């Protein structure tokens, strides 16, 4: 059903439907006009013939002569095909004495009590000496004309419309198939799989093939530049890692030789911070590259939240926070357990670090995870900016941290195809992460 709806919404299908509608309208108008003209021509011919008959019967000016002429002619005529009647001073004579229509010339259904007359007739009425003469002929020719038009309509117009519609549906299906291939590739590219390329599209090359080739070229260029960038970052990280590690070792040695020197302790702490920032930056880059997706397994969010709560309870106690966990039918999603644990850890850490002692509530509702505290919160205008790498609010500059926690959360959520929303907990911050079940 969904596929059919999808096909109905494609451009070729819409074009087909419009063309079929246009074709039907034009054909029906042409048919209508032709039928009307043919009907009129038939009616004109019938009128002329009936007028001639009336003129012949009313050649005399005397009502008795007309009545006798009509009586004789009516007796000879077959009432199935010809109706004759004279309404004169002496009453009505003829082979039909039933009710008559008001119109002078019309196609009418006639029926009399004797049963001799029954059917459709074209009837002409004319004033003549002493009364009115009516002559009619059967309307078979008109019925035949209608029949022919109806047959032409059913045997040409309808099949043509059905054929065009059928062709349109086939084209639309094919084009929907091609578009789906393009959409799938775009979706993969959008979620960071820059190696995604279009499969060979079925059918002869057309404008969609050109669009596909354009997408492939764009993806190749993007992949090349991202990989160059990654290479540079990896080189920098690699080149800096060894000197920083050497620096850490040297500082340790210096601290061993000169214990109690606070300057050296601070320098060692700074170096640890640099190492942590480095690792976090590298991890974000790796996650954005999409490579952890290969390690996805089923992850039970309920048990993960339980583990993380137990892990952070001592830290919460230390900072004076009351960390609680609420589970509402916790769901299972496909993902990387360690990274999903990191999301919960970063959010709890933020609540402990950036809000004064108070309640911190972790909730898992189906496949949605929420962490809410009752601290100062984050102003709405900054709720997007805090997701940037290394961005911290002014008031947090004095707290430890490097402003990478939420950037990492954002990258992990995106990797899992989920959404991240920061909102006001009135007071406090509420972070909601929603995954697809
Ligand atoms: N629960 C919270 N309440 C108030 N402000 C917050 C909260 N969580 C984050 N913030 C603000 O958002 C900024 C960015 O958070 P983020 O987690 O990215 O970095 P960080 O906690 O400062 O450092 P890191 O997580 O890298 O150790 C924080 O510096 C803080 O100003
Ligand atoms: Mg943080």
């Amino acid at each position: 059903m969904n596929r059919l709806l999808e096909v109905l919404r494609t451009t070729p299908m819409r074009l087909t439907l419009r063309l079929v509608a246009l074709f039907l309208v034009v054909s029906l108008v042409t048919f209508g006009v032709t039928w009307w003209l043919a009907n009129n021509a038939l009616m004109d011919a019938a009128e002329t013939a009936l007028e001639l008959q009336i003129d012949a019967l009313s050649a005399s000016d005397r009502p008795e002569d007309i009545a006798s002429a009509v009586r004789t002619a009516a007796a000879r005529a077959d009432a199935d095909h010809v109706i004759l009647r004279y309404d004169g001073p002496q009453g009505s004579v003829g082979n039909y004495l039933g009710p008559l229509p008001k119109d002078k010339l019309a196609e009418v259904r006639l029926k009399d009590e004797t049963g001799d007359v029954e059917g459709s007739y074209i009837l002409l009425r004319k004033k003549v000496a002493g009364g009115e003469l009516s002559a009619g002929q059967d309307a078979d020719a008109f019925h035949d004309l209608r029949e022919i038009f109806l047959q032409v309509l059913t045997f040409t117009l309808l099949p043509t419309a059905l054929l065009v519609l059928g062709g349109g549906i086939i084209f639309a299906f094919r084009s929907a198939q091609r578009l789906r291939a393009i959409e799938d590739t775009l979706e993969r590219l959008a979620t960071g799989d820059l190696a995604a390329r279009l499969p060979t599209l079925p059918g002869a090359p057309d404008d969609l093939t050109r669009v596909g080739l354009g997408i492939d070229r764009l993806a190749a260029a993007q992949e090349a530049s991202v990989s160059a960038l990654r290479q540079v970052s990896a080189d920098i990280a690699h080149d800096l890692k060894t000197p920083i590690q050497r620096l850490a070792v040297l500082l340790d040695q210096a601290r061993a030789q000169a214990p109690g020197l606070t300057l050296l302790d601070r320098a060692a702490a700074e170096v640890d911070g640099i190492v942590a920032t480095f690792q976090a930056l590298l991890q974000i880059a790796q996650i954005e590259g999409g490579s952890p997706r290969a390690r996805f397994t089923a992850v039970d969010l309920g048990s993960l939240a339980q583990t993380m709560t137990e892990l952070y309870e001592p830290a919460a106690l230390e900072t004076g926070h009351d960390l609680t966990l609420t589970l509402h039918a916790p769901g299972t999603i496909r993902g990387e357990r360690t990274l999903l644990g990191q999301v919960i850890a970063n959010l709890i850490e933020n609540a402990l670090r950036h809000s004064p002692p108070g309640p911190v509530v972790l909730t898992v509702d189906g496949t949605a995870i929420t962490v809410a505290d009752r601290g100062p919160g984050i102003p709405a205008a900054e709720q997007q900016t805090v997701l940037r790498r290394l961005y911290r609010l002014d008031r947090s500059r004095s707290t430890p941290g490097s402003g990478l926690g939420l950037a990492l959360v954002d990258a992990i959520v995106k990797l899992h195809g989920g959404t991240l929303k920061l909102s006001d907990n009135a007071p406090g911050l509420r972070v909601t992460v929603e995954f697809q079940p």
Side-chain angles (χ1 to χ4, degrees):
M1 191 61 201
N2 273 350
R3 285 233 9 226
L4 193 73
L5 270 180
E6 189 189 325
V7 168
L8 280 179
R9 282 198 209 106
T10 57
T11 314
M13 198 63 233
R14 284 194 182 161
L15 273 179
T16 307
L17 287 177
R18 271 177 216 164
L19 277 178
V20 168
L22 193 69
F23 167 72
L24 282 177
V25 169
V26 171
S27 304
L28 284 175
V29 169
T30 315
F31 263 64
V33 170
T34 317
W35 179 80
W36 184 75
L37 288 174
N39 202 55
N40 273 3
L42 266 186
M43 199 56 127
D44 284 349
E47 188 180 8
T48 312
L50 292 172
E51 254 170 6
L52 278 176
Q53 205 160 17
I54 287 178
D55 288 349
L57 289 171
S58 58
S60 161
D61 280 345
R62 295 179 50 221
E64 310 85 78
D65 292 346
I66 299 176
S68 120
V70 167
R71 205 174 287 120
T72 322
R76 275 205 308 263
D78 176 357
D80 276 347
H81 302 298
V82 177
I83 295 278
L84 291 170
R85 165 168 166 173
Y86 175 58
D87 299 290
Q90 259 88 46
S92 303
V93 291
N95 57 0
Y96 171 74
L97 299 177
L100 285 173
K102 287 203 179 67
D103 298 339
K104 181 179 160 278
L105 175 76
E107 183 183 343
V108 281
R109 276 202 78 78
L110 296 181
K111 187 178 179 183
D112 70 356
E113 278 132 32
T114 62
D116 290 342
V117 174
E118 185 169 5
S120 287
Y121 294 85
I122 305 298
L123 197 80
L124 179 68
R125 305 176 67 190
K126 204 169 174 186
K127 296 255 179 271
V128 292
E132 195 180 48
L133 228 167
S134 307
Q137 68 172 50
D138 67 60
D140 290 355
F142 289 81
H143 291 170
D144 292 348
L145 181 73
R146 249 170 264 163
E147 198 103 311
I148 290 169
F149 268 84
L150 215 67
Q151 279 175 359
V152 172
L153 215 67
T154 26
F155 292 114
T156 63
L157 201 61
L158 218 63
T160 315
L162 288 178
L163 261 171
V164 175
L165 207 63
I169 290 177
I170 292 172
F171 288 136
F173 257 107
R174 268 195 45 201
S175 120
Q177 216 180 351
R178 297 154 75 93
L179 273 176
R180 211 168 308 119
I182 294 179
E183 271 169 5
D184 288 349
T185 312
L186 282 175
E187 179 67 32
R188 280 174 59 200
L189 289 171
T191 49
D193 179 7
L194 291 180
R197 296 288 180 277
L198 252 111
T200 316
L201 296 176
D206 61 1
D207 44 359
L208 280 187
T209 322
R210 282 210 307 279
V211 172
L213 286 177
I215 291 173
D216 276 357
R217 272 202 303 277
L218 191 73
Q222 189 78 5
E223 194 184 17
S225 74
V226 167
S227 102
L229 210 66
R230 265 201 212 124
Q231 193 57 48
V232 172
S233 332
D235 289 349
I236 293 174
H238 189 261
D239 288 356
L240 286 183
K241 216 163 87 187
T242 326
I244 288 174
Q245 273 165 354
R246 241 185 270 132
L247 186 62
V249 173
L250 284 176
L251 278 172
D252 276 347
Q253 285 172 359
R255 280 163 78 200
Q257 280 174 18
L261 207 62
T262 29
L263 265 179
L264 278 183
D265 292 344
R266 276 174 52 198
E270 285 296 339
V271 171
D272 287 348
I274 293 173
V275 171
T277 304
F278 240 94
Q279 269 165 356
L281 276 172
L282 283 175
Q283 197 188 2
I284 294 176
Q286 196 197 8
I287 289 166
E288 284 179 341
S291 51
R293 215 174 272 131
R295 299 192 296 271
F296 274 14
T297 52
V299 179
D300 174 4
L301 295 181
S303 91
L304 182 67
Q306 192 93 46
T307 312
M308 297 316 292
T309 313
E310 282 160 18
L311 205 69
Y312 275 93
E313 247 153 19
L317 265 181
E318 210 168 285
T319 51
H321 289 87
D322 178 20
L323 176 62
T324 51
L325 169 66
T326 318
L327 296 177
H328 293 299
T332 300
I333 62 161
R334 279 197 66 73
E336 233 266 73
R337 195 181 158 88
T338 331
L339 291 180
L340 292 170
Q342 179 97 61
V343 166
I344 301 179
N346 283 11
L347 296 180
I348 296 180
E349 259 172 32
N350 275 355
L352 302 186
R353 185 184 289 168
H354 304 293
S355 75
V360 174
V361 184
L362 167 63
T363 314
V364 180
D365 190 352
T367 52
I369 301 174
T370 312
V371 177
D373 62 50
R374 303 199 68 80
I378 297 179
E382 304 241 51
Q383 282 171 359
Q384 279 306 308
T385 18
V386 287
L387 302 183
R388 283 198 217 143
R389 272 163 245 207
L390 305 170
Y391 189 89
R392 314 186 76 204
L393 296 186
D394 283 337
R395 62 160 187 255
S396 315
R397 303 245 175 253
S398 55
T399 61
S402 47
L404 287 169
L406 286 177
L408 190 60
V409 168
D410 190 36
I412 298 174
V413 171
K414 280 196 182 119
L415 176 80
H416 288 79
T419 52
L420 172 68
K421 203 179 108 203
L422 273 62
S423 54
D424 189 0
N425 196 35
L429 179 71
R430 168 190 294 268
V431 185
T432 312
V433 175
E434 242 183 302
F435 297 105
Q436 314 290 345

